[in-house]
Amino acid sequence: MNDIPYLLRGVSKLSTESSTLISSSKYLNDPRLRMWIAEIVLKQNGPDMPAQAEMYPVIALLDELQDKARIEELFTAERAKNPALDAWFEEGFVSDYDADYFKAFGAGTLGRIFYDEVIAKNFEIVIYEKPPPKSQLDYFLLRSGQTHDLEHIMTGGDFSYMGELVPAWFRITNHFKHLSAELAGELSTSYMFVTLRYTVRTLLHYPEVWTICQDAVERGMRCGRASGPLFMAKYEDVFHLSLEDARVALGVECATFADTSAASAVWAARPQR
């Protein structure tokens, strides 16, 4: 026993008749995901693969790997003990605004900020043109897609690479505050993969912007921990309010803004070494 290094004590070598790699993790068992993880966290940035395109393949992979029936069970159990969540699903509200909708809002309102920061800068409004959701998860994901850019504004994340960390870590932390751990984990998986690109890759290749990256993570966590369940927000009710008043109305606390555009520009460039 004394001949075994301390950190290796307790390791048990298991055998299997499988001729291919297999583990107790469905994520590790998927060779496509293993390849994506290795590439996405270890690579440097380059113009051949914009960061925003990197998530496209993994979203489809996660869709395959997640146990949809189990997630529906978790949502149903959560609704039984959470009247607000149950009412949210019962209403099933879906936004139908377009770019012109925001032109009427006055200066300083949430609606005008959204227009100036998203629409006027030619970002797409993420409204999914798809049939009515067929499951609770479908509806949750639909609303998450519709409100993502608004969550940037509400939580203090600017529209740059490092700014993506703020709403992502807000979501992860907020999910775990307001939902059961297993359900929160299922709903946070994609956000975790989003953040891997920015955290691990930044530390490996862009240490000069690490403190900006870390601050964005901390701001998102702090806001997510202090705030109400923003994933259930109905923004149409607060577009006419100032940003601060909209935050109060929707229960958003401890949101702080930081301009990370300079650090994000450094991060997006290929390291010269």
Side-chain angles (χ1 to χ4, degrees):
M1 180 67 170
N2 292 333
D3 294 333
I4 301 175
Y6 176 75
L7 294 178
L8 294 181
R9 294 175 188 175
V11 174
S12 299
K13 292 185 177 181
L14 303 178
S15 62
T16 176
E17 296 181 359
S18 173
S19 61
T20 60
L21 186 151
I22 188 170
S23 82
S24 59
S25 167
K26 62 184 177 182
Y27 301 105
L28 182 58
N29 286 341
D30 193 301
R32 300 165 300 173
L33 189 56
R34 294 199 302 270
M35 179 63 72
W36 187 89
I37 288 288
E39 181 176 288
I40 224 65
V41 302
L42 299 178
K43 74 184 288 289
Q44 295 183 5
N45 290 314
D48 55 318
M49 178 57 72
Q52 58 268 26
E54 294 167 348
M55 285 301 294
Y56 190 81
V58 80
I59 294 299
L61 290 179
L62 293 176
D63 183 67
E64 289 183 32
L65 290 172
Q66 286 192 301
D67 185 341
K68 303 295 176 43
R70 177 56 181 164
I71 294 173
E72 290 304 302
E73 291 175 357
L74 293 170
F75 267 127
T76 300
E78 196 75 27
R79 292 174 65 176
K81 61 183 181 181
N82 187 334
L85 183 69
D86 186 57
W88 181 69
F89 273 111
E90 282 295 322
E91 181 181 10
F93 177 80
V94 175
S95 296
D96 62 358
Y97 49 69
D98 57 17
D100 290 337
Y101 172 81
F102 294 93
K103 291 181 178 180
F105 290 101
T109 64
L110 176 60
R112 172 53 64 169
I113 293 170
F114 185 73
Y115 181 85
D116 292 342
E117 294 298 321
V118 179
I119 299 170
K121 294 180 180 178
N122 294 319
F123 291 114
E124 289 189 14
I125 299 178
V126 185
I127 298 293
Y128 292 100
E129 300 294 340
K130 60 193 310 185
K134 296 181 179 179
S135 68
Q136 296 167 106
L137 178 60
D138 284 348
Y139 178 69
F140 188 92
L141 295 177
L142 172 63
R143 287 300 289 160
S144 296
Q146 289 188 329
T147 61
H148 174 73
D149 286 341
L150 285 158
E151 287 180 11
H152 269 270
I153 297 169
M154 297 296 286
T155 63
D158 63 342
F159 291 91
S160 63
Y161 292 120
M162 292 295 105
E164 287 291 343
L165 285 161
V166 180
W169 275 103
F170 174 92
R171 269 284 183 151
I172 294 171
T173 309
N174 203 243
H175 288 164
F176 275 90
K177 177 181 180 181
H178 295 289
L179 301 170
S180 63
E182 186 179 355
L183 178 58
E186 291 286 356
L187 300 177
S188 300
T189 305
S190 62
Y191 294 98
M192 180 59 69
F193 283 127
V194 165
T195 66
L196 282 177
R197 302 174 299 158
Y198 300 114
T199 52
V200 181
R201 194 186 303 173
T202 299
L203 192 64
L204 295 180
H205 301 299
Y206 307 91
E208 59 269 45
V209 301
W210 171 254
T211 57
I212 305 299
C213 174
Q214 179 177 306
D215 178 68
V217 172
E218 290 173 346
R219 286 188 289 119
M221 284 184 169
R222 185 165 55 247
C223 187
R225 190 176 294 115
S227 298
L230 191 60
F231 52 84
M232 293 194 291
K234 187 175 181 180
Y235 287 92
E236 282 78 354
D237 293 341
V238 299
F239 280 137
H240 66 287
L241 299 178
S242 69
L243 176 56
E244 287 308 313
D245 286 346
R247 283 171 172 162
V248 171
L250 297 182
V252 177
E253 303 281 350
C254 300
T256 55
F257 175 81
D259 183 351
T260 70
S261 57
S264 295
V266 173
W267 186 87
R270 187 190 302 273
Q272 299 299 310
R273 58 178 180 271

